[in-house]
Amino acid sequence: MASAPARRPRLDGLAGAGGSARDARRYSRFVGVMRVALPLVALLLLAALTLWPVIGERIRALESARVMGEMNVPGDLMKMTRPSYSGADASGRRYALVADAAYPNGLDPTEVRLERLTATVTDPSGRTVTVDAVRGLYYPKLETLDLDGGVVVTSNDGTRVETGAATLDLAQGTIVAPGALAAEGPYGTLDAARARVSDEGRRLKFDGGVRLVINPVRGADAPTPASGPESRP
Amino acid sequence: QSPAPGFALDASKPIEITADSLEVLQQESRAIFSGKVDVVQGDIRLRTERLRVAYSGDPQSGGGQITELRAEGGVVVTSGREKATGATAHYDVAARTIRMTGDVVLSQDDTVIRGQELVIDLATGRSKLTGGSGGGRVRSVFTVPERGAKEQ
């Protein structure tokens, strides 16, 4: 999956002083996971593949976010305002990550706290996936990104996924949403108590109760009324 | 004139599916619902323990279709006063048919028919129950309503 980016991506200070090829690969993996994950959810909606828990309301009542502990970045000595990172990879996928503010805990940070971040991925076909999160905590060494405080994923085909928190493991190519997840798309709606995307997006697992409502196919032809029972033993 | 279920699929109604868990295997274009699976569309309801779904096409290109549903671990299909139960059921979406096999019991109010295979045509609502392999006879149980309808 590690397709080396065609051009060296411009790194504006998000992951430490000088941007490295390793960061570029990390972000292209992040992109890889996101690029594959969302179409799967759309496919999911399309393919009528969900279950619901007892009732939809119970899901909404569920405390969705695993609230991250109060993050303390020692001294807040470093703050970057409007850090942004953009790039493209070999397959022509463009991606950008912007945050209102980033607080790395040092020059070679092990932790970067992000406020109000938006990641956008556009693939050559023009399909765009955007992830908005209120807070993020990026662990460059672990290559994981914890999003929290409300995460909304939208794509330009009309699919929208909301959950409280999500953990992206860029190295493993997995996304885990520990809390309730609600998705909506042109095909219908999907609710689940938990979700996990793995294998670079090729495997999705929803459990704790899943509910899918699939809208009828537009212009579905209503069948001829049953013309009468007939049984030939 | 033995009654049989008049299952008619109303494709203009949304489908609602609930279960304990769902796993989607993108590479194999299939997904598995497990645990108290409950599929409702209009008047028709299908409950089972495990539901395998196969789909085709690729949503990224706007295509994508469900091609079949396969229920295992005991199946109950109901529609109004009619009910059909069996070990497995296979719903062919394109052909709009449900095929149930394994100790199939068809009931409508208090009339019960047993056999080995039931095929329901969801478009016309007609169904055909056969004794299954080995020429097993279909056993039918009728209750004669008060007005003394003709007994088979």
Side-chain angles (χ1 to χ4, degrees), chain A residues 8 10-20 22-23 26-27 78-80 83-85 102-114 138-141:
Chain A
R8 247 178 62 69
R10 204 166 42 78
L11 175 68
D12 299 341
L14 187 63
S20 67
R22 199 158 50 92
D23 299 318
R26 266 185 225 137
Y27 279 101
M78 284 180 70
K79 174 180 179 184
M80 271 170 274
S84 71
Y85 178 84
Y103 301 86
N105 65 344
L107 282 174
D108 182 17
T110 55
E111 220 179 271
V112 180
R113 185 157 54 92
L114 304 164
Y138 173 54
Y139 300 92
K141 312 286 186 213

Side-chain angles (χ1 to χ4, degrees), chain A residues 54-193:
Chain A
V54 178
I55 8 171
E57 292 65 37
R58 210 205 81 191
I59 283 284
R60 275 170 206 89
L62 271 182
E63 210 311 285
S64 59
R66 157 176 67 76
V67 181
M68 300 286 291
E70 186 37 49
M71 283 175 237
N72 42 58
V73 176
D76 278 347
L77 30 99
M78 284 180 70
K79 174 180 179 184
M80 271 170 274
T81 43
R82 291 303 292 168
S84 71
Y85 178 84
S86 61
D89 69 11
S91 62
R93 233 185 350 241
R94 300 188 316 282
Y95 44 87
L97 183 63
V98 179
D100 278 5
Y103 301 86
N105 65 344
L107 282 174
D108 182 17
T110 55
E111 220 179 271
V112 180
R113 185 157 54 92
L114 304 164
E115 280 172 4
R116 296 213 170 283
L117 63 139
T118 298
T120 309
V121 176
T122 307
D123 63 27
S125 69
R127 197 159 182 280
T128 303
V129 168
T130 304
V131 179
D132 288 296
V134 174
R135 285 186 303 270
L137 197 50
Y138 173 54
Y139 300 92
K141 312 286 186 213
L142 302 174
E143 295 188 279
T144 58
L145 176 61
D146 282 349
L147 302 175
D148 176 57
V151 180
V152 177
V153 180
T154 49
S155 90
N156 57 358
D157 73 355
T159 302
R160 178 185 170 86
V161 183
E162 274 186 56
T163 187
T167 296
L168 283 75
D169 183 324
L170 305 178
Q172 302 296 327
T174 64
I175 306 173
V176 174
L181 172 129
E184 211 173 338
Y187 310 107
T189 61
L190 151 70
D191 292 288

Side-chain angles (χ1 to χ4, degrees), chain B residues 107-128:
Chain B
S107 53
Q108 184 183 43
D109 300 334
D110 31 27
T111 302
V112 178
I113 308 176
R114 295 176 196 279
Q116 276 312 310
E117 183 182 61
L118 167 72
V119 178
I120 304 170
D121 181 333
L122 290 170
T124 63
R126 281 209 199 88
S127 53
K128 190 173 81 179

Side-chain angles (χ1 to χ4, degrees), chain A residues 49-52 214 223 227 230, chain B residues 9 16-19 21-22 33:
Chain A
L49 300 178
T50 346
L51 315 168
W52 62 8
I214 298 295
S227 52
E230 170 223 308
Chain B
L9 171 75
E16 185 161 320
I17 305 180
T18 60
S21 80
L22 157 68
F33 289 92

Side-chain angles (χ1 to χ4, degrees), chain B residues 29 31 36-37 45 88 109 119 125 133 141:
Chain B
S29 292
K36 303 194 287 298
V37 185
R45 184 173 187 191
T88 70
D109 300 334
V119 178
S133 59
V141 173

Side-chain angles (χ1 to χ4, degrees), chain B:
Chain B
Q1 218 283 353
S2 60
F7 294 97
L9 171 75
D10 180 351
S12 65
K13 293 243 174 44
I15 303 175
E16 185 161 320
I17 305 180
T18 60
D20 289 345
S21 80
L22 157 68
E23 188 160 26
V24 180
L25 306 166
Q26 171 75 343
Q27 237 138 0
E28 294 132 42
S29 292
R30 67 191 176 81
I32 303 153
F33 289 92
S34 314
K36 303 194 287 298
V37 185
D38 193 344
V39 183
V40 178
Q41 177 168 39
D43 182 32
I44 290 198
R45 184 173 187 191
L46 182 147
R47 280 166 290 162
T48 184
E49 211 21 53
R50 197 172 32 267
L51 183 66
R52 297 176 189 280
V53 186
Y55 46 84
S56 66
D58 160 24
Q60 291 195 32
S61 57
Q65 291 282 357
I66 302 177
T67 52
E68 65 171 331
L69 303 179
R70 197 174 289 277
E72 298 154 349
V75 192
V76 178
V77 178
T78 50
S79 165
R81 298 189 338 271
E82 286 117 15
K83 181 173 166 182
T85 60
T88 70
H90 173 230
Y91 171 27
D92 182 329
V93 179
R96 294 175 90 173
T97 57
I98 292 183
R99 179 182 310 279
M100 291 182 86
T101 56
D103 302 332
V104 176
V105 178
L106 212 55
S107 53
Q108 184 183 43
D109 300 334
D110 31 27
T111 302
V112 178
I113 308 176
R114 295 176 196 279
Q116 276 312 310
E117 183 182 61
L118 167 72
V119 178
I120 304 170
D121 181 333
L122 290 170
T124 63
R126 281 209 199 88
S127 53
K128 190 173 81 179
L129 180 66
T130 56
S133 59
R137 273 184 36 74
V138 170
R139 280 186 301 106
S140 311
V141 173
F142 294 93
T143 43
V144 181
E146 295 333 308
R147 281 173 285 100
K150 194 160 68 43
E151 210 177 352
Q152 196 185 20

